[in-house]
Amino acid sequence: MPANPKAKLVENILDLKNIAQAPTRNGFGEGLVMAADEDQNIVGLCADLTDSTKMGDFARKYPGRFVEMGIAEQNMAGVASGLAAIGKVPFITSYAMFSPGRNWEQVRTTICYNDRNVKLIGSHAGVSVGPDGATHQAIEDIALMRVIPNMRVFAPADMIEGKKVTYAISKISGPCYVRFTREKTPIFTTEETPFEIGKAQVFWHEAEGKKSDVVIFACGPLTHNAILASSVLENEGIGVRVINMVSIKPMDTGAVIAQAKEAGAVVTVEEHQISGGLGSAIAEVLSANHPVPIEFVGVNDRFGESGEPNELIGHFGMAPEHIVEAARKVINRKQEI
Amino acid sequence: MSQLHDDKLKFLEEKANDIRRSIIRSLQAAGSGHTGGPLGMADVFTALYFHILKHDPANPDWEQRDRLVLSNGHICPVQYAAMAHAGYFPVEELQTLRKYGSRLQGHPHRNMLPGIEVSSGPLGTGLPQAVGMAIGLKMNKQPNQIYCLMGDGEQDCGIIWEAVMLAGKLKLDNLTGLIDRNNIQIDGMTEDIMPLEPLREKYESFGWHVIDANGHDFQDINNAFEMARAIYEKPVLIIAHTIPGKGVPEIEFDYRWHGVPPGAGPEDKFAKADQVAEMLSRLRTLDGKIRSEHQ
Ligand SMILES: Cc1ncc(C[n+]2csc(CCOP(=O)(O)OP(=O)(O)O)c2C)c(N)n1
Ligand SMILES: [Mg+2]
């Protein structure tokens, strides 16, 4: 099976029945406590969602370093900036819709323009929030954050990567945004899977002796859907690579250009509006450096709605079969050129 | 204030009980959603939809209607139940709550369900819209009333106070706010998370007239709304003192029931598997007894 051995992914990556699952936000909870154990300056702020954003373990372990903000996300961003001015390293959490959704301008001015060392944690991103419906499904947050200078943007693929990202951003200075999700999703990376800020990782590689026909750039838990799609394509004799784009900004532009050159056809996959997200970021890089046909898998200029997570992923066209379809289509487009 | 006759009280109590039953059943069918807030507000919603509001379920867009703006959208199961029992849509449709393709979205959506005035869910967004409606109606010299329901935890939101200030400045006497004063929010008790008291004085100092009411006493609720209509030159706030989970004694006052449905709640009173049946069998309005059942 051509999962890239260097990525050290789990053995049963295609076995949906037996693969272990957990929400990515659990990785934040664990990573924050790990980081806080080492760094006294780490403080936590939350706006009346302490347990569901997984800040609870930190708040119970370090009550003196936790501030309950009440339902006041705009104030939370400003207060975090002030804490950072005094040398603290604030992690601030809410649902992504409210932070950085509601408090976007405060994030821009008080955190990014001032270049303060604040870490924004947006949980419950994406339509996979499910029954709560459109008001609670942030599918604009990547766009909102990557457009601000000084901000770095990450979308971990599973719980373990979520933990690594949380720990890594505690070690660098400056504003960061990490997008987490509510639902359980497959844990398909391992502690040994490489992670580095600003680096893309090849998670799936075409079989020996084949060539790359299409490259899929994915982020978040949908990266697993991209892998499921690849195994289908592989069986049809198509050479596929899947690149995990956890680090959306800074982006590994060298890798993006090199992979696109080899394959000549690109699919992007994200649980986000097509407009402004990962796909747009990739298109910006490729159209300036090496234009190739691209198909975008994501939400196409619509609001979310209530439903079960998997129903919604299907409804909005982000299931493995939709990725397969996008790959076939982009390969055809390449051949027409 | 006008006295509600016994047959009216009996009618309202029975409606409130039907609405609570529907809340429990629809939340069970949904498998997620909020229980505490909706049960606590069942009496206020009953009073609104069956006595106070000027509205027409057969004609939700009626020009002359009062407008009810739900700012704390997460308690929509009680609004949906009240609307269904009032005739806006079939009661059976309540069982589609929060499901794929349903008009009863997890948080209410104006473009899906006729009778919903504004889409809501993110807290703090209803009052500014209600203020805008009140200003617009005044500009048009239309007599309709605007009612805006809010949570007490929701008062943490800064934008609420921006809207409160504007309504006071413009003396919007066609606007009546109502706070569900149940003392809970997600992380705990409001006075621990972000103290609100003295809440009455805060609103008064922003130019509002404030009325306290027992949110489980129909006479008191009615008095408050009648008084609100009688006050000129000021917006009015009703602080409705309610008990989260009201109607099922075993879950009353327990903030852990804020955001879970029957069947997934804390197990110290009933096991998850028994929660729906137990709640339905223990359901009582108004201090443990339905007066009408004892007559
Ligand atoms: C802006 C915003 N932040 C956070 C939330 C998540 N949230 C939903 S309900 C709630 C608590 C609200 O407390 P209250 O208004 O007292 O309602 P109750 O729990 O009493 O029903 C929170 C924080 C939200 N809906 N909107
Ligand atoms: Mg409350």
Side-chain angles (χ1 to χ4, degrees), chain B residues 220-239:
Chain B
D220 212 35
I221 296 169
N222 190 53
N223 289 352
F225 280 108
E226 278 190 14
M227 176 64 97
R229 290 298 307 268
I231 300 285
Y232 280 82
E233 287 291 306
K234 277 183 177 184
V236 174
L237 177 73
I238 299 171
I239 302 179

Side-chain angles (χ1 to χ4, degrees), chain B residues 1-259:
Chain B
M1 302 294 127
S2 57
Q3 200 61 37
L4 295 178
H5 293 299
D6 274 357
D7 50 351
K8 184 74 183 190
L9 283 172
K10 179 178 163 187
F11 168 79
L12 291 173
E13 286 167 12
E14 284 173 356
K15 283 290 174 214
N17 222 37
D18 290 346
I19 286 170
R20 285 195 167 90
R21 210 170 273 132
S22 289
I23 292 170
I24 293 169
R25 292 208 175 104
S26 63
L27 283 169
Q28 178 201 20
S32 67
H34 300 76
T35 304
L39 286 175
M41 283 292 279
D43 300 315
V44 170
F45 271 89
T46 304
L48 280 165
Y49 275 93
F50 291 94
H51 189 59
I52 290 155
L53 283 181
K54 201 166 124 190
H55 69 131
D56 179 3
N59 183 13
D61 295 330
W62 182 36
E63 270 287 309
Q64 303 302 312
R65 73 190 184 282
D66 295 332
R67 283 168 175 78
L68 189 155
V69 174
L70 184 69
S71 198
N72 49 344
H74 67 275
I75 72 165
C76 61
V78 61
Q79 183 175 21
Y80 293 152
M83 288 172 71
H85 285 280
Y88 280 87
F89 56 84
V91 171
E92 303 80 67
E93 195 174 339
L94 291 171
Q95 298 306 100
T96 68
L97 175 69
R98 298 171 74 83
K99 290 196 193 322
Y100 180 63
S102 173
R103 299 194 291 173
L104 311 186
Q105 291 288 293
H107 293 83
H109 186 30
R110 194 181 95 76
N111 296 333
M112 283 198 176
L113 190 63
I116 295 292
E117 298 287 353
V118 305
S119 303
S120 63
L123 294 164
T125 55
L127 189 64
Q129 296 176 79
V131 167
M133 290 175 184
I135 297 172
L137 288 174
K138 275 194 173 281
M139 286 173 169
N140 290 350
K141 303 204 173 6
Q142 284 172 268
N144 322 37
Q145 290 291 308
I146 306 290
Y147 296 103
C148 180
L149 308 190
M150 300 175 275
D152 50 1
E154 188 182 10
Q155 304 301 305
D156 296 355
C157 299
I159 26 173
I160 288 286
W161 299 95
E162 298 175 24
V164 169
M165 220 181 303
L166 181 62
K169 166 182 149 170
L170 298 178
K171 301 187 171 43
L172 298 177
D173 52 15
N174 54 349
L175 173 66
T176 301
L178 183 145
I179 293 177
D180 172 17
R181 187 68 173 119
N182 63 4
N183 295 288
I184 65 164
Q185 56 193 107
I186 293 186
D187 281 355
M189 307 299 289
T190 58
E191 298 312 287
D192 297 330
I193 301 306
M194 187 57 66
L196 298 174
E197 296 299 341
L199 188 54
R200 162 184 278 273
E201 285 83 348
K202 284 192 174 95
Y203 269 82
E204 284 174 345
S205 68
F206 281 62
W208 288 52
H209 181 91
V210 180
I211 302 167
D212 282 276
N214 176 347
H216 303 302
D217 179 328
F218 287 115
Q219 184 63 57
D220 212 35
I221 296 169
N222 190 53
N223 289 352
F225 280 108
E226 278 190 14
M227 176 64 97
R229 290 298 307 268
I231 300 285
Y232 280 82
E233 287 291 306
K234 277 183 177 184
V236 174
L237 177 73
I238 299 171
I239 302 179
H241 297 269
T242 68
I243 296 170
K246 177 72 185 177
V248 182
E250 287 77 3
I251 74 160
E252 287 176 2
F253 295 106
D254 188 344
Y255 74 84
R256 293 174 305 167
W257 280 93
H258 158 97

Side-chain angles (χ1 to χ4, degrees), chain A residues 46-52 66 68-74 95 97-98 102 130-136 182 304-308 311-312 315, chain B residues 30 32 34 98-102 104-108 112 119-125 153-154 156-159 162 185-188 192-194:
Chain A
C46 183
D48 198 21
L49 289 167
T50 307
D51 278 316
S52 56
F66 171 71
E68 169 65 75
M69 300 301 300
I71 309 162
E73 296 82 8
Q74 291 153 285
Y95 295 164
M97 198 65 255
F98 311 133
R102 170 160 300 188
D132 271 345
T135 54
H136 284 53
R182 175 184 189 277
E305 60 186 83
S306 291
E308 289 307 312
E311 285 174 330
L312 296 174
H315 174 74
Chain B
S32 67
H34 300 76
R98 298 171 74 83
K99 290 196 193 322
Y100 180 63
S102 173
L104 311 186
Q105 291 288 293
H107 293 83
M112 283 198 176
S119 303
S120 63
L123 294 164
T125 55
E154 188 182 10
D156 296 355
C157 299
I159 26 173
E162 298 175 24
Q185 56 193 107
I186 293 186
D187 281 355
D192 297 330
I193 301 306
M194 187 57 66

Side-chain angles (χ1 to χ4, degrees), chain A residues 7-336:
Chain A
K8 305 223 170 5
L9 304 177
V10 296
E11 291 287 327
N12 60 349
I13 192 162
L14 298 177
D15 181 1
L16 268 182
K17 278 211 186 73
N18 295 309
I19 192 166
Q21 304 215 6
T24 64
R25 63 190 160 125
N26 289 14
F28 163 67
E30 288 183 20
L32 179 63
V33 171
M34 257 170 64
D37 286 345
E38 291 174 18
D39 184 352
Q40 297 267 9
N41 279 321
I42 289 179
V43 295
L45 277 59
C46 183
D48 198 21
L49 289 167
T50 307
D51 278 316
S52 56
T53 62
K54 297 292 168 195
M55 189 170 259
D57 287 343
F58 166 85
R60 283 179 284 272
K61 188 163 183 186
Y62 297 111
R65 289 155 61 181
F66 171 71
V67 185
E68 169 65 75
M69 300 301 300
I71 309 162
E73 296 82 8
Q74 291 153 285
N75 192 35
M76 180 162 72
V79 168
S81 174
L83 280 160
I86 305 298
K88 299 293 177 194
V89 183
F91 279 71
I92 71 177
T93 72
S94 181
Y95 295 164
M97 198 65 255
F98 311 133
S99 179
R102 170 160 300 188
N103 57 12
W104 183 84
E105 190 273 334
Q106 280 85 357
V107 170
R108 177 182 186 269
T109 307
T110 74
I111 296 173
C112 295
Y113 192 39
N114 281 327
D115 201 10
R116 296 290 192 209
N117 190 18
V118 175
K119 316 302 178 188
L120 276 92
I121 304 299
S123 95
H124 293 53
V127 294
S128 60
V129 165
D132 271 345
T135 54
H136 284 53
Q137 297 167 348
I139 45 181
E140 304 85 1
D141 53 316
I142 295 175
L144 287 174
M145 289 297 98
R146 80 178 187 89
V147 75
I148 310 179
N150 291 339
M151 182 58 92
R152 300 168 181 81
V153 181
F154 305 92
D158 69 1
M159 183 208 145
I160 291 178
E161 195 169 70
K163 183 169 71 178
K164 290 178 192 163
V165 173
T166 305
Y167 184 78
I169 61 170
S170 78
K171 302 289 179 198
I172 61 168
S173 181
C176 296
Y177 171 60
V178 193
R179 159 184 241 238
F180 288 97
T181 48
R182 175 184 189 277
E183 272 303 296
K184 282 186 188 160
T185 48
I187 305 177
F188 62 100
T189 72
T190 63
E191 297 290 345
E192 288 70 44
T193 303
F195 165 76
E196 202 183 318
I197 290 175
K199 282 278 171 271
Q201 303 290 348
V202 181
F203 270 12
W204 185 279
H205 202 284
E206 73 277 5
E208 280 275 326
K210 290 219 144 248
K211 63 174 188 39
S212 168
D213 297 313
V214 58
V215 56
I216 305 176
F217 295 106
C219 66
L222 286 189
T223 307
H224 190 256
N225 278 2
I227 285 174
L228 295 177
S230 300
S231 85
V232 174
L233 292 162
E234 203 75 50
N235 290 339
E236 294 175 9
I238 296 171
V240 193
R241 283 190 202 160
V242 176
I243 315 295
N244 176 30
M245 297 301 294
V246 49
S247 186
I248 296 172
K249 185 184 172 187
M251 180 172 279
D252 192 344
T253 50
V256 168
I257 296 164
Q259 293 293 348
K261 266 188 188 160
E262 251 187 275
V266 167
V267 174
T268 64
V269 178
E270 61 198 305
E271 199 182 331
H272 187 276
Q273 298 285 3
I274 289 171
S275 168
L278 170 71
S280 299
I282 300 241
E284 286 161 17
V285 170
L286 291 181
S287 54
N289 293 282
H290 186 81
V292 295
I294 307 180
E295 285 295 321
F296 302 92
V297 172
V299 181
N300 195 1
D301 200 23
R302 291 156 73 189
F303 286 108
E305 60 186 83
S306 291
E308 289 307 312
N310 55 354
E311 285 174 330
L312 296 174
I313 294 292
H315 174 74
F316 287 103
M318 299 179 286
E321 64 264 28
H322 300 109
I323 302 172
V324 168
E325 214 175 288
R328 286 189 194 126
K329 186 167 169 201
V330 81
I331 291 169
N332 280 338
R333 284 176 56 198
K334 167 170 74 170
Q335 283 153 1
E336 281 162 15

